[in-house]
Amino acid sequence: MKKGLAVFLSLAFMFCLTSCNNDKSLQNKKNEDVINGESVKDELIEDAIKELKSEWEDIYDKMKLETDRYFEIKNTRVIKIKKTDIEEFKDVKYIIEFVLYTDYFGSAPYHSNYRVSNSVIVYNNGDMKVPKKDLLEDYSIKNYIWDYSNIIDNVKDYDDKYNCVENLK
């Protein structure tokens, strides 16, 4: 009887391990399908980076502080916006968000992630804009709504793929 119970428990344990692995692989596949629901081309992100650099060149040009004009992207993610009637997001297709370190305070060699002009809005017609404030956070502060499930379709994190460090001219 003990031997039969041991065999049964061994088989049950192996089945559990196998089913856990299958569930995990299905979950990974599901995440890939959601993330890749719409292909975001490198060119779009590279254009957004050009917009961001241009904005930061203007910010540095207008500063009264002396800075080293540092510009470092540490992470990039693309937030796909759902079709919505919410005014702030009505014509927005993507928000391309960056973890961005700059010399905004003139505190070099320390560079901060101050969260100013750190994203690019891509509109349905292809136009791009660098907002001073984070669009989602600004919406939340104005409306006291932090649930973005009716705004965000999905988020694709590109990790360090678009990282760069330079001093802007």
Side-chain angles (χ1 to χ4, degrees):
M1 180 82 175
K2 287 184 181 180
K3 191 175 185 179
L5 182 59
V7 170
F8 173 75
L9 289 175
S10 295
L11 289 173
F13 180 70
M14 287 176 29
F15 176 76
C16 287
L17 286 177
T18 305
S19 66
C20 289
N21 285 339
N22 285 341
D23 288 347
K24 189 174 183 180
S25 64
L26 286 173
Q27 183 63 38
N28 286 343
K29 187 171 184 169
K30 183 179 177 188
N31 287 340
E32 286 174 15
D33 290 340
V34 169
I35 289 169
N36 295 326
E38 184 171 321
S39 174
V40 176
K41 299 187 188 257
D42 286 341
E43 184 179 302
L44 178 70
I45 297 172
E46 289 166 4
D47 287 346
I49 292 171
K50 287 177 190 170
E51 282 291 316
L52 191 67
K53 285 181 181 179
S54 176
E55 177 69 17
W56 273 95
E57 287 172 352
D58 289 346
I59 289 170
Y60 282 135
D61 288 345
K62 294 173 185 172
M63 287 183 117
K64 295 183 180 178
L65 294 171
E66 189 171 322
T67 71
D68 64 2
R69 301 176 69 92
Y70 189 80
F71 180 91
E72 179 179 7
I73 293 174
K74 278 288 207 185
N75 193 48
T76 303
R77 64 184 183 170
V78 176
I79 302 163
K80 186 171 184 329
I81 304 300
K82 291 180 178 179
K83 290 183 182 184
T84 180
D85 290 332
I86 299 171
E87 192 60 35
E88 292 91 326
F89 301 96
K90 199 179 234 178
D91 297 319
V92 177
K93 187 170 187 174
Y94 300 108
I95 299 171
I96 302 177
E97 189 176 72
F98 302 92
V99 174
L100 182 66
Y101 289 89
T102 63
D103 192 21
Y104 188 73
F105 294 112
S107 59
Y110 176 76
H111 302 104
S112 61
N113 176 15
Y114 187 58
R115 294 181 44 92
V116 169
S117 300
N118 68 334
S119 63
V120 177
I121 299 170
V122 180
Y123 294 96
N124 289 324
N125 66 4
D127 289 348
M128 292 184 176
K129 175 186 172 188
V130 178
K132 295 286 181 209
K133 298 178 184 177
D134 179 288
L135 189 61
L136 291 163
E137 187 176 311
D138 196 44
Y139 168 78
S140 293
I141 291 168
K142 288 178 183 174
N143 298 289
Y144 302 100
I145 299 171
W146 295 92
D147 176 7
Y148 303 129
S149 59
N150 62 335
I151 299 169
I152 294 176
D153 186 23
N154 64 54
V155 178
K156 168 69 172 136
D157 197 324
Y158 287 89
D159 299 315
D160 62 357
K161 181 175 180 179
Y162 296 98
N163 284 9
C164 68
V165 176
E166 62 185 89
N167 291 75
L168 301 175
K169 298 173 184 159

